[in-house]
Amino acid sequence: MSEKKKESVLAGFKAFLMRGNVVDLAVAVVIGAAFTNIVNSIVKGIIGPLVGAIGTKNLDVYKSCLKDPCGIDGNGQPTGVEILWGSVLNAALTFVITAAVVYFLMVLPMAKYLAKVEARRKAKEGVKETMEITELEVLKEIRDTLVSQRVNGGGTGPARTGPTVTGPAGSRDAF
């Protein structure tokens, strides 16, 4: 039974690896890691200095002390309890800025592109559907005309329609 269980576990693992999701996930992680460098350089090189022009460039220096005095004693040990709220604020701002860069430079343009592609596809389907409906309507009209001609003509061929004209020999022909 142990061999069967090992075999089924290995078969299940193989099936798991062969699904497309694992490969897609691996590709996404690699691309995400590479894209992180791009986003970080945009934040550091462009957005960080713009934010720094308004305020300070490094928020990590901001902190509060719960127990006074905060600092380092003579033995090099920290005294007091420091709350490093500047680091938290810096991380939160970095996250918001990074999310904004990703959204406005990647997600929004890709969504607009995919919407245009979908609109084109639906337009093509609409034209094809209209053509199919039009062809179906024309075929129904032809069928109805043929049925009415049989009924009007007594079933002995197509019924003649149009004005009756007397010819030179006195015969009456229908056009």
Side-chain angles (χ1 to χ4, degrees):
M1 175 149 173
S2 177
E3 278 185 34
K4 255 189 176 178
K5 188 174 183 180
K6 283 183 182 178
E7 204 172 288
S8 67
V9 169
L10 289 177
F13 183 67
K14 181 181 176 186
F16 171 73
L17 289 178
M18 296 313 238
R19 289 192 304 187
N21 298 347
V22 175
V23 175
D24 291 343
L25 183 61
V27 169
V29 168
V30 171
I31 295 293
F35 187 69
T36 299
N37 291 332
I38 294 171
V39 171
N40 287 339
S41 64
I42 290 172
V43 169
K44 277 184 180 177
I46 298 171
I47 296 173
L50 291 174
V51 172
I54 298 168
T56 181
K57 289 183 182 180
N58 187 7
L59 295 174
D60 292 336
V61 297
Y62 293 107
K63 55 188 169 184
S64 297
C65 188
L66 286 181
K67 263 186 167 178
D68 284 329
C70 283
I72 308 266
D73 65 6
N75 297 331
Q77 297 294 321
T79 60
V81 178
E82 290 184 341
I83 303 293
L84 304 173
W85 60 271
S87 301
V88 175
L89 183 60
N90 190 24
L93 283 174
T94 301
F95 171 77
V96 169
I97 291 169
T98 303
V101 168
V102 169
Y103 179 76
F104 288 112
L105 294 182
M106 291 298 295
V107 174
L108 190 61
M110 183 60 77
K112 286 183 179 181
Y113 171 74
L114 291 176
K116 284 182 183 178
V117 168
E118 183 68 17
R120 287 182 191 147
R121 185 187 64 79
K122 283 187 177 184
K124 285 181 182 178
E125 282 182 5
V127 168
K128 188 184 287 185
E129 197 173 286
T130 303
M131 286 175 43
E132 289 174 0
I133 290 172
T134 305
E135 289 176 7
L136 185 61
E137 289 175 358
V138 168
L139 289 173
K140 285 180 181 179
E141 287 178 13
I142 293 170
R143 178 200 63 201
D144 294 343
T145 304
L146 289 173
V147 167
S148 68
Q149 285 178 353
R150 280 192 190 148
V151 170
N152 292 339
T156 59
R160 295 184 175 216
T161 59
T164 303
V165 178
T166 306
S171 66
R172 297 176 71 178
D173 291 332
F175 288 102

